[in-house]
Amino acid sequence: MTASPVLSRDADGVRVLTIDRPERLNALDRQTLEALDVAFTAAEDDPQVRVVVLTGAGPKAFVAGADIAQMAALTPIQAHEFSALGQRLMRRIERLPKPVVAMVNGYALGGGLELALACHLRIAAEGTRLGQPEVGLGLMPGFGGTQRLLRLAGRGAALELCLLGAPIDAARALQLGLVQRVVAAADLETATMELAARLAAAAPLALRGILDAVLAGGECPLEEGLAFESARFGLLFASQDMREGTAAFLEKRTPRFGGH
Ligand code: DAK
């Protein structure tokens, strides 16, 4: 049996998934996309998992893109299937009812940036370079990059990144809102795990409501988004965690959320 290209470890409600192809700068081949799909499905199904952190093995790259060597040999039908597999994975991540944090530890290019953009939050190391260089290969983003860049950073930034294909540095990515935080490479893991621990201690049903409402709001008119938010807000009043959170505030103590 060959080893999975995705490593998984758990720590206090946080599942850390590591794409483990450092010799290929963690490029996404079919096997890796399939393994990620399995890993995210398992994380969703496991009630012990409250937060997922996604990263790449080695010091150089988060993910340097789709695997160009594998992609170059695809027929149009296979390319369509490859794109569908990738897009399904990105959608699964984006729709995961638990926060997913991308720990971007180096190059996030092409499919790698698209993967990071599908996560809910991104924290990047200084020195990271992010971009959509597909145009240089005679291609265009195929895992949702045009759409998620547009929604996150606006039309100008999406067109700049995709049309020119030139990578940007972490500081510019922060300025564009593509990443939420930039830290020194040596501090990346600690900073990410602190963020993840904070999310793991929060009320899971409240997080889920927020994730669902923000995602839905990006895809529908304001009136529908507001109605969705009200419905989900009301639903939280049926949760024990809402009772616990408000009681803890009034009793001046730290709440303990059980996810019910
Ligand atoms: N795929 C395959 N191998 C890769 C790779 C990639 N994306 N990126 C790097 N590698 C391999 C290199 O070939 C090299 O292998 P060896 O030569 O050692 O055998 C090894 O990883 C180390 O890389 P380098 O030697 O190149 O390392 P450097 O530090 O010199 O350069 C680099 C790092 C990131 C600047 C460079 O490796 C690079 O430019 N990599 C390619 C980046 C890129 O163009 N990424 C975008 C890929 S295209 C679609 C669906 C999805 C997509 C498209 C269509 N549909 C089917 C519709 C998505 C496309 C993409 O993501």
Side-chain angles (χ1 to χ4, degrees):
M1 209 170 91
T2 50
S4 171
V6 177
L7 307 177
S8 175
R9 67 183 162 90
D10 289 347
D12 300 326
V14 180
R15 176 153 300 174
V16 181
L17 299 176
T18 304
I19 300 168
D20 189 29
R21 299 186 77 213
E23 72 290 352
R24 283 277 164 274
L25 303 188
N26 303 315
L28 302 171
D29 61 358
R30 165 174 281 282
Q31 293 83 334
T32 306
L33 290 174
E34 284 169 351
L36 282 169
D37 203 54
V38 169
F40 274 99
T41 305
E44 178 169 352
D45 291 346
D46 187 338
Q48 302 301 318
V49 176
R50 291 198 174 186
V51 181
V52 182
V53 170
L54 177 64
T55 193
K60 263 184 90 169
F62 173 70
V63 170
D67 189 308
I68 298 171
Q70 194 181 69
M71 209 170 54
L74 298 179
T75 66
I77 299 289
Q78 288 169 333
H80 176 71
E81 286 168 1
F82 185 69
S83 175
L85 173 63
Q87 289 195 359
R88 190 181 71 213
L89 168 67
M90 308 299 160
R91 202 67 176 134
R92 183 184 302 291
I93 295 172
E94 186 170 60
R95 285 181 162 159
L96 213 81
K98 312 173 181 189
V100 182
V101 181
M103 180 163 85
V104 185
N105 56 321
Y107 290 113
L109 300 175
L113 179 55
E114 291 171 297
L115 182 62
L117 294 178
C119 298
H120 302 128
L121 297 170
R122 284 152 294 281
I123 176 162
E126 283 167 2
T128 287
R129 296 186 66 75
L130 307 95
Q132 298 289 166
E134 290 89 342
V135 72
L137 300 167
L139 278 169
M140 62 180 283
F143 292 155
T146 59
Q147 301 308 301
R148 291 195 181 91
L149 272 174
L150 170 69
R151 284 164 172 76
L152 261 178
R155 186 150 44 142
L159 288 173
E160 180 191 333
L161 265 86
C162 297
L163 288 177
L164 298 177
I168 57 172
D169 63 20
R172 173 110 169 99
L174 184 66
Q175 195 181 43
L176 290 175
L178 290 188
V179 300
Q180 278 60 58
R181 237 183 115 186
V182 177
V183 297
D187 299 333
L188 182 65
E189 183 152 1
T190 305
T192 307
M193 293 312 281
E194 277 172 11
L195 175 71
R198 238 178 107 172
L199 291 165
L205 294 172
L207 294 181
R208 181 177 187 156
I210 293 163
L211 290 169
D212 286 353
V214 171
L215 186 66
E219 297 171 2
C220 70
L222 180 63
E223 285 305 325
E224 279 175 38
L226 289 171
F228 190 85
E229 183 187 88
S230 298
R232 296 303 296 260
F233 179 82
L235 199 59
L236 289 177
F237 283 68
S239 72
Q240 287 173 21
D241 282 349
M242 178 269 175
R243 304 282 158 224
E244 165 65 7
T246 49
F249 175 80
L250 296 172
E251 292 161 17
K252 301 188 189 305
R253 61 176 174 81
T254 306
R256 286 186 60 82
F257 295 118
H260 305 291

